[in-house]
Amino acid sequence: MTTVLYESAYGSTREYAEALAARLGTTAQPLATADPAALRGSTQPLVVLSYVHGPSVPAASFVAKNDLGDRPVAVCAVGMTLLDVARAKDQLAGALGKKTNVARFYLPGRLSYSTMGRKHKMVMWGIIKALKAKSAADRSDNEQGMIDSYDRDTDRVDLRELDQVVEWAAARG
């Protein structure tokens, strides 16, 4: 049976993890409760999901730092970067270091300014201010999208994007 672990900041990663686990006939567990030694003993697929906050991707950090044995492993990054940009950039490849055999998936997330903490709001304010300083002609579609959605609750969660993760796990389970 596939193991599904997650770390969520605002809820969209938890939503993906729970939906994925339901589709795979298992239960999603918080990453904080994971025992790497116990995970190493299985040959069943492991899927670890987390948010992306700048360079921080807790799922990738967990997989990179732990010996998970020979089991098939996938990492899912949930973020607000446009999917085509996230997939082309492939931030997880670098974050996973030498673990090149890990499947990498990118899922669109949710950003809720209405529930965002003060520190996160200040970081976003700084990013948007810097992006607005660029001429409109020099901004990428992703940067313009960040500006356009600034200070607005934006929900891009699409559970259909889990199809590729389900197919990956089914082929290895």
Side-chain angles (χ1 to χ4, degrees):
M1 181 177 295
T2 301
T3 301
V4 177
L5 302 173
Y6 71 94
E7 184 165 329
S8 187
Y10 293 106
S12 56
T13 304
R14 179 180 41 78
E15 182 178 347
Y16 276 121
E18 290 174 352
L20 177 63
R23 289 177 65 178
L24 296 173
T26 188
T27 304
Q29 301 296 321
L31 186 57
T33 66
D35 176 5
L39 292 171
R40 187 173 37 251
S42 176
T43 59
Q44 293 298 306
L46 169 65
V47 181
V48 187
L49 304 91
S50 76
Y51 54 82
V52 176
H53 282 178
S56 175
V57 186
S61 296
F62 177 83
V63 170
K65 292 177 185 175
N66 290 291
D67 176 5
L68 301 169
D70 294 328
R71 73 186 306 170
V73 178
V75 173
C76 298
V78 180
M80 293 304 292
T81 300
L82 298 176
L83 275 184
D84 59 334
V85 174
R87 289 173 177 154
K89 183 178 172 184
D90 197 11
Q91 178 181 2
L92 292 176
L96 290 165
K98 295 180 182 183
K99 299 218 175 167
T100 58
N101 60 337
V102 175
R104 302 179 305 275
F105 299 96
Y106 294 89
L107 305 170
R110 176 183 306 120
L111 190 59
S112 300
Y113 281 89
S114 62
T115 60
M116 191 180 289
R118 178 181 161 94
K119 184 177 176 183
H120 194 182
K121 280 185 182 180
M122 292 306 295
V123 168
M124 292 305 297
W125 177 83
I127 291 169
I128 298 305
K129 185 174 180 178
L131 292 176
K132 284 183 174 180
K134 293 173 78 172
S135 73
D138 290 335
R139 293 181 200 140
S140 70
D141 289 343
N142 193 63
E143 291 169 335
Q144 189 60 51
M146 289 177 69
I147 292 169
D148 294 344
S149 65
Y150 177 65
D151 207 22
R152 293 187 192 123
D153 290 355
T154 305
D155 189 345
R156 295 185 183 140
V157 170
D158 183 353
L159 297 178
R160 295 172 297 182
E161 290 291 333
L162 288 173
D163 292 350
Q164 60 192 327
V165 185
V166 170
E167 288 174 20
W168 174 88
R172 287 152 184 85

